[in-house]
Structures are given as C-alpha cells and as structure tokens.
Amino acid sequence: MQPDAVQQVLKQYWGFDAFLPLQREAIQSVLENRDSLVVMPTGGGKSLCYQAPALCREGVAVVVSPLLALMKDQVDGLVACGVPAAAVNSTHGSEEKRQVARQVESGELRLLYMSPERLVTPRTLDFLANQNVSFFAIDEAHCISAWGHDFRPEYRGLRTLRERFPNVAVHAYTATATDQVRRDIVTQLGLQEPEILVGDFHRSNLQYHVARRERGLGQLCEVIDRFRDQSGIVYCITRAEVDRTTTLLRELGYSALPYHAGMSDDERIRNQDAFLTERANTIVATIAFGMGIDKSNVRYVVHLGMPKSLENYQQESGRAGRDGVEAECRLLFSGRDLMTWKRMLGDLPEEARDAAFSSLEKMNAYATAVTCRHKMLVEHFGQSWTRGPCNACDVCVGSLAVVDDALVIGQKILSCVLRLEQRFGADYVSQVLVGSQDQRILAAGHNQLSTWGLLRDLRRQDVRQWIEQLGSQGFLRKEGEYNTVEVTDEGRRLLRGELMPTLLQPAKASRAATSRSVTDSWEGVDQGLFDALRQLRREIALQRTVPAYIVFGDATLREMARQRPSSLPALLEVRGVGQQKLADFGEQFIDGIVTYCSERQLSMDVAPLQPSAATPPRAAVAAPTANAVQSFPLFDQRLSVDQVAERMGRAASTVFGYLESYIRHRKVRDVSPWVNRAEFDLVESAIHDVGVERLRPIFDTLEGRVTYEQIRIVLASIKNSTGEPAVH
Ligand code: ADP
Ligand code: ZN
C-alpha cells in the first residue's frame, strides 16, 4: 500500500490534508507489518495512527482499549466519519455480538474494539485465529506496566498475542513517556524489533499559568468567564471541595456539575454525559474524572489545588486542547495544599510515602519556580528544551513583573530568617516581616525583633511567594518535619550583596491573559457565527446522542466561521470535513452559514489563512522576562553577547533582546563591553541628525555600518542618562 493511499483515506474519511508529527512514520510501520511502540502526548493524534492504516489493509484491525467509555467514544467517532467499526463488550447482547462476528467474517468490518480480558479468552482467540486479522493495536499501553500510573493486571494477558499470532504485528500506543515504562511495554508485549517512535512533549497550544490562590472562587470565575459557554474542567483535591465549589458556581449561575468517587455510578455517568453533550459547560472533579475522556474541545483546566505530582499535573492539564486549538491550564495553589496531601498520603508504607513526598516536592518546585512552565514540564519528562521563551506561559509572556529592588528585599527576608534563628516556617517569617500582630508572634516577643515589620508596606502574599522563590533559587532551604527555613551559603553571599536574586510578582495590568498566538488563531473568525455553529452542533449531537465534538471539532467550526463556505464543495475544503460528515451534516451547516452571513451581509467563501511564517516569539519589552533576567548576572560580569548566548544555549539574537532589557532594567549607562567606542559615536551623531524616535532612519544614515542590535543598545543606554549625553 502506498502512502498516497493513506493520504487519500485521511482526506476522504477525516477531511485532513496533512499528518501531525510522527503520524506518517507510525502509519508506515503498521503498513509494513512491523511491531511498533508509539509515544505521543495527549492530543498528539495517536488514534489515527492505527485507524487510518486499518482502512488501507485487508482484514480487521483489533484494538485493545481499557475502558468501555473510551471504546464507545472512538467507535462513535469512527462511525460518524463513515468507517466500519464496532466494539464488543459486556453491555452488548448475544444477537449484537453475533452480528459483529458476521461483519468480521464477511470482511466488511475494519476496526474491532475490545477489552484485554475479553480478547484473551480462549473463545475470542479461537475465533480470531480463523479470521483475517490485519494487526493488533494496544491503546493506553502503559497499563501493562506496574511502573505506569495506571497499572491494569488484565493487560498482562496480552502477551499471548505474540505466541498465538506470530505473523500479525502488534502496535502499542501510550502518552506515558518514562523510559522505564517504555522498556516494560516492549518486554511485556514481547514486541519484536519494534519501531519506537517518541513524539515531542511540548504542547504549544496550551497556555500555562500558576498563581497563588487568594480569592479562589474569583480567580476561577475569571477564567470561566473568559471561556463563556465553552467546556472546561476544574480539579479539586478533595470531594468536599468539589461539592462546595460546584454549589457556589451554580449559585452564581454557572452551568457546572460535580464528579467524584463518592457519588453514585448513575449520578456520575449522568454528569459526565451532560458534559460530553455540552448540556453542562464545567465539570468540577477530583482526579477520579478524566481517564477515558476523549473530549477534544476542553478549553480550560483549572486546578483549584496543587496536584500530587507533575505526572498528574501533566496528564490532567493535558486534557485541555486535544484538538490543537488554544486552551488554558491554570494552577491555583496555596502552601496548605502540600499539608493536605501529606496528611492524605501519610499512611502509605514508608517507601511509597517517600516517593510520594518527593513527587510532591517536585510539584511544589514547579509551582513556585520562575522559569518557563513548558520548559519545566518538557524537561521533567526527559526531553531537552531547545526553544527560547515559549510565549505561552505566565513567566514567558511577562504577566509576572520583575521586582525592582529584589536585592534589598531578599536581604531583608534572609536577615529576618536569621533573626528568627532559622527555627520557623515560611508563613511565620512572612508574618513577622509584614509586622503582623498575630498572637503567636506577640507571645514569642518577635514583634521586638529589628526585622519585624521591615516589609510592612508590601502584601503578605507577595512576601510569602518571594520566600519560595528564594528557595527555588537556592538562597534558602526548608528543613525538617516543620519545613523551617534556613539560609544557605548562597544566601549568605546574597546578604553580602555578592549575588542577585530574581523576584517576581503579578504584573499590575495583566496584559498577558491572552498571548499573540491566541489572538492570531482567531484572525478573521466571525465569533457570532462560531457561536451559532456551536449551537447547531449541540442540537445535532443531542438528536444523535453522541458527544458534540464527534459531529465536528472546535478547530473545524472555527475554520468554517473563518472561511464561511457557501456550498458543499467549499465546505469539503475545510479541514476536518470528510465525505461522510459532508453527506450527513453538510446541508445543515451550509444553511446555517448562508443564513447568518446574508442577514449580516458578511462575505462568504473566504480563502483559508496561509500558515504564517513562524516568527520567533520575542521577549516582552516592558518588563524583562524571567528568561532575560537569568542573563543579568552574566552581563554583570561583562560577558559578551556571544558568550552569554553560549552559556544559556540561546540564539545571539535572543540574547541581544536580553541585553537590551538588562540595560533598561539595571539603568546601565556604560555599554562599552558590548558596543565599541567608534560605533557608539556614530550612532550618537546620527541621532543628532534624525532623532531617537525610529530606528530605521538611524540605520539608514549610518549606511549599515552599525547593526540594528547595536543601535538599540546605544539607544537604551542613552535613555538611561535621562536625556543627558551618555557617559562613555
Ligand atoms: P491522542 O489519542 O493522541 O490524545 P487523538 O487521537 O484523540 O489524540 O487526536 C487528537 C485530536 O487531533 C483529535 O481532535 C483529532 O481529530 C485531531 N487529529 C488527529 N490527526 C490529525 C491530522 N492529521 N490533522 C488534523 N487533526 C488531527
Ligand atoms: Zn514559557
């Protein structure tokens, strides 16, 4: 079978023109009958890797899936695309099962879904041995590994496939990336010289934000309001928290439903269904919710408390934006969360408890860090980060501002820790610093300390946060059972003014709620039409009792609202519209579009946007980003741009941006290490002639003798001299 045939299948059934990364390679190994292990992040498009080639090969592909809900969802989705697929499971009667068996025998069924325990029964194995099985696809393959987060002993039985079907290839798919799990899957399934494909774990369409929980409900509503009428998940640590939050949200008029293991099965299924069919927008849940939820258009995932590990966080937050459309992941945490988890996990046997606590610490480090969130996540999963700022997290887009007098604040905090003889926790230290009259403080006489009230004018929340940040930068460490705060050797150097900390606080005006990539992807989209099409989708989904996103995904609706096709052939051009869906829903959607556009005299049949040439994200100009700040100590040492670029593993062009921030932020006037005297004078004389407003005239006047970057550096330094000629 030629790859072109797969391409054709992709277009005809799914309406896609191109493959996502690694899909082509993964499909190729299926076509070549070579065992494979495919590791891709959630939303990476794993299912298509076996679904598409199943249509290009003779016989039936057998797909193993751990959950009924997951199977049903996939089969519904395939049938909607016109693919002959079915599942057999315990909910089916014997007549239904016989019918499926007949479809397999006649060769008309292309994909057959079942649970591992059903597949390995002698009866099923005997039946399949007499059929033309094209290949086995093992979904959620990490379930076979005791090292995975979701071990299912029934997966172990799948080993038998290799022996019973020596000539049929076995393909495993998972989103769990650790090496140990990967190796385990290969051994347990007995894969032979498998092709191993590991995708990129960076999910660029997800916006990651972290904030302290201060007015939890308000912070939550702010997110939900921004995604009015769209789907989202809110995770809480405890059931009580789920119930409380749902009640509050409903009182405020939000369409929210709870989900946790303390509810009856019926109630849970009802709420989950309401969420999938979009009769409810928000599901508030414990981690009991999510496994097997394939809903592709979840637009936000808010954690109202800290998850217990980064693995959990990646998986739960990763349920947002599977369709590749932007989505937001927001973590709201408090120091108390750590205590709550420690209490809940405290009864584990010692070894497991140590492991759990160490995972918690890593999670806490993520929450309090001042480095790019995407970078931390990707690196946690063993991949290296070679990009610059991600432009999609609170740190990189600058919704955190760098505190000006970080050194002085840092010194005040550390000396207070010393005055308290390093015997208290971060909460207590912050209270002393802001001059709290708390009973405990008065009783201990700590209001008499010279450091009491030293940061009186600042918010306690900020001070508390800075203590964490000083910790994650190695100036402080927490010790012992009570997490008492101690000053490290580095911290002592900071006290002597030899080292500079970086402290961040929420920027005044949150100009970064949406990044550029978000606004870009809505370019040319008529929001009203998008809403109208979503309404239409919801009605169709209700009639057919399928989840809404099975009708069309968000990305497809958005494309429709941008191109506004007025005819069936034009609709077929939209990504995500295949032949079957065109036949089933085409007329209704064209009707909807034409009616909407004629009433408003909106143009139709607009050409699709060309993917814009990837412009590298630029560091924010107003406040330096945390990435830029990391270069400051290097510039303090007068290192050149190239040297800094090498040390930080960044492009020189990026580092020039950092240097500009550095000069502005540190009010540097002497830029001789980076611009030589002659060039400086040239720029200065050009400024005399053409002013400082725009770069282009300066550059042109100098006829290319000085680069744009150098001009920028000179300008920044001159501005620091408040209009005076620069001291040079
Ligand atoms: P995973 O199982 O890896 O989490 P899915 O198989 O659910 O991912 O796919 C995620 C989303 O990507 C789905 O909405 C799917 O329709 C979409 N998708 C898959 N392949 C392509 C493709 N080649 N082009 C566009 N969208 C795709
Ligand atoms: Zn980032």
Side-chain angles (χ1 to χ4, degrees), residues 16 18-20 23 41-48 296 322-323 575:
F16 297 148
F19 294 102
L20 297 179
Q23 279 182 332
T42 310
K46 283 182 287 296
S47 0
L48 215 82
S296 68
R322 293 174 82 122
D323 50 12
R575 195 184 78 166

Side-chain angles (χ1 to χ4, degrees), residues 110-141:
R110 313 320 296 274
L111 288 129
L112 174 62
Y113 282 74
M114 60 176 91
S115 66
E117 54 274 30
R118 173 169 300 272
L119 173 57
V120 302
T121 56
R123 210 178 142 174
T124 312
L125 289 173
D126 290 343
F127 170 75
L128 289 175
N130 293 315
Q131 306 304 322
N132 183 6
V133 175
S134 52
F135 60 89
F136 292 101
I138 318 294
D139 204 5
E140 311 288 353

